[in-house]
Amino acid sequence: MWPYPRVLAHRGGGKLAPENTMAGFASGFALGFAGVEFDVMLARDKVPVVMHDPYLGRTVNGAGHVYDYDAHELARMDAGSWFSRAYAGERVPLFDEVVSFCRRHAIWMNIEIKPAPGHEEETGRVVAETTRSVFAEEIAQRGAGAIPLFSSFSETALDAAMVAAPDIPRAILFKAVPPDWELVADRIGAVAIHCNHNYLTPEAAQAIKAAGYGLLCYTVNNPARARLLAGWGVDALCTDRLDLIPPAFLTA
Ligand code: G3P
Ligand code: MG
């Protein structure tokens, strides 16, 4: 059973606002999204920040890698101008800021641990430790639906998260679901499989559901495709098209 929202705003606000910015999270919330996916990595001083790419240049004005800067330096950088001039004041958010915003608005979080290459273990550990301390009360009450779900393409990061915060559930991210998916999922104690919908087959979806795992697809932007996937047993999806696939799309 999937105790979480079924449609998540990808990278905060999908394509309606600059990804992984507070403006993005605010625009998803304004459209009624009660679930969100976003990406977290570590700055040089080991403070987690919300960012997708491990380097500057695409979404953030500047050069070099995220890991070359301390969090307070990243938090001053422009993460909105690339999207449009109207968002020029947007900054790289700290993980703490995003978590506070989501908690304040009761938005459930799929926290994608996105380590810079070579920093898998420490990123998994730090993100898990931080999340665990913020959600101590919910974890003690075993409020499954309120506790975030970690996901990552990195098994090493998920291993570290499992050690640091065993009570926070984990999902393994695949582009295409590999033949040994169950072995991997079992090893890291995953509760769900997250995969690219373009490579999912109805047979794989059925096998994953029959084995008792949750199943989330990224990034689904076509409503007809979303319906088809739901028919295969897919529990949830994240979307960039908050305008086409609204929060209640799969439950209505
Ligand atoms: O977590 C699902 C999805 O966000 C994974 O891909 O590159 O958009 O982070 P990416
Ligand atoms: Mg992501």
Side-chain angles (χ1 to χ4, degrees):
M1 154 113 161
W2 182 260
Y4 312 123
R6 298 192 65 192
V7 183
L8 310 183
H10 186 229
R11 303 185 193 176
K15 295 265 195 261
L16 297 186
E19 67 185 53
N20 290 324
T21 64
M22 294 316 298
F25 289 95
S27 69
F29 178 62
L31 287 169
F33 276 76
V36 73
E37 184 270 358
F38 60 88
D39 309 291
V40 189
M41 67 183 63
L42 296 186
R44 180 173 55 196
D45 52 0
K46 322 285 188 217
V47 173
V49 296
V50 175
M51 176 104 186
H52 180 275
D53 301 354
Y55 48 80
L56 311 184
R58 182 177 67 87
T59 62
V60 176
N61 280 345
H65 292 82
V66 172
Y67 212 80
D68 299 334
Y69 298 92
D70 287 344
H72 74 273
E73 297 174 296
L74 292 163
R76 284 200 299 264
M77 291 182 185
D78 177 353
S81 289
W82 70 277
F83 188 85
S84 82
R85 275 169 49 193
Y87 290 100
E90 284 305 310
R91 305 289 171 218
V92 176
L94 302 178
F95 177 52
D96 278 356
E97 290 178 75
V98 169
V99 170
S100 298
F101 177 87
C102 290
R103 280 171 68 80
R104 194 158 63 245
H105 296 294
I107 299 169
W108 177 78
M109 289 168 260
N110 169 202
I111 299 169
E112 184 187 340
I113 304 172
K114 196 80 141 180
H119 299 278
E120 290 81 3
E121 192 280 334
E122 66 176 356
T123 307
R125 175 169 40 80
V126 172
V127 172
E129 283 168 353
T130 308
T131 310
R132 189 183 194 198
S133 78
V134 174
F135 283 88
E137 207 168 295
E138 287 89 342
I139 292 169
Q141 292 167 354
R142 299 186 181 278
I147 299 170
L149 174 65
F150 291 138
S151 61
S152 189
F153 288 103
S154 165
E155 282 182 55
T156 306
L158 290 171
D159 271 338
M162 176 165 60
V163 172
D167 297 331
I168 299 181
R170 296 163 299 284
I172 179 78
L173 258 163
F174 296 120
K175 183 176 175 188
V177 177
D180 66 344
W181 66 268
E182 199 163 1
L183 211 68
V184 179
D186 189 48
R187 208 183 57 69
I188 58 117
V191 299
I193 309 297
H194 292 190
C195 66
N196 183 319
H197 74 95
N198 289 306
Y199 302 92
L200 184 66
T201 62
E203 293 75 23
Q206 197 188 22
I208 290 165
K209 291 310 300 169
Y213 290 91
L215 177 58
L216 176 145
C217 283
Y218 70 89
T219 302
V220 184
N221 295 327
N222 177 312
R225 179 72 177 165
R227 288 250 180 264
L228 182 76
L229 292 165
W232 292 356
V234 169
D235 294 299
L237 55 86
C238 57
T239 184
D240 285 328
R241 293 303 305 264
L242 313 191
D243 50 341
L244 297 181
I245 307 182
F249 188 81
L250 296 182
T251 35

